[in-house]
Amino acid sequence: MTTLVQQDLYRMINQANERGERLVVATVAHTRGSTPQQRGAKMVFFQDGEVAGTVGGGCIEAEVWAEARESMQSGKSELHHFSLTADEASEEGMVCGGTMDIFIEVIE
């Protein structure tokens, strides 16, 4: 997946609103250490299961995906903390070793 251009993000939000659909936007709010994406990276989750953008990769993106699905159902926006410590990263075969705070926002 690739990073989202801001104009594309707003277009997707507008189109979902026109269809009356809820969507979820995950935004990297803060990073520390080595992380797969930097602050501001975004990923959009649609009701039909489609996804655009990226906030990382591997296990972090899978965890964000799970949190986004939960937020899609609950309608609740939340800030989540993800750790990519050296031990956890090496177990997953990653080269990262930092932490990421990702805001998962429900848009209706």
Side-chain angles (χ1 to χ4, degrees):
M1 283 189 215
T2 61
T3 57
L4 282 174
V5 176
Q6 196 165 17
Q7 181 178 357
D8 291 339
L9 171 68
Y10 293 128
R11 179 184 48 76
M12 287 184 240
I13 291 170
N14 188 47
Q15 290 171 343
N17 281 336
E18 287 174 352
R19 293 188 302 266
E21 295 176 5
R22 175 184 283 178
L23 59 83
V24 174
V25 178
T27 304
V28 177
H30 179 62
T31 65
R32 183 178 180 124
S34 177
T35 59
Q37 286 288 335
Q38 297 303 311
R39 187 174 42 169
K42 296 185 183 305
M43 189 170 185
V44 180
F45 301 84
F46 299 91
Q47 283 184 329
D48 66 2
E50 290 293 317
V51 178
T54 184
V55 292
C59 62
I60 288 298
E61 205 147 281
E63 288 181 50
V64 170
W65 197 305
E67 295 293 350
R69 279 194 303 269
E70 188 173 311
S71 291
M72 182 75 74
Q73 292 177 356
S74 72
K76 185 176 178 186
S77 300
E78 289 187 85
L79 182 66
H80 296 270
H81 181 79
F82 299 95
S83 180
L84 299 159
T85 64
D87 291 339
E88 292 164 327
S90 66
E91 288 175 12
E92 297 294 329
M94 300 181 300
V95 295
C96 301
T99 61
M100 300 176 81
D101 292 329
I102 299 178
F103 184 60
I104 299 179
E105 178 181 17
V106 178
I107 299 177
E108 303 206 45

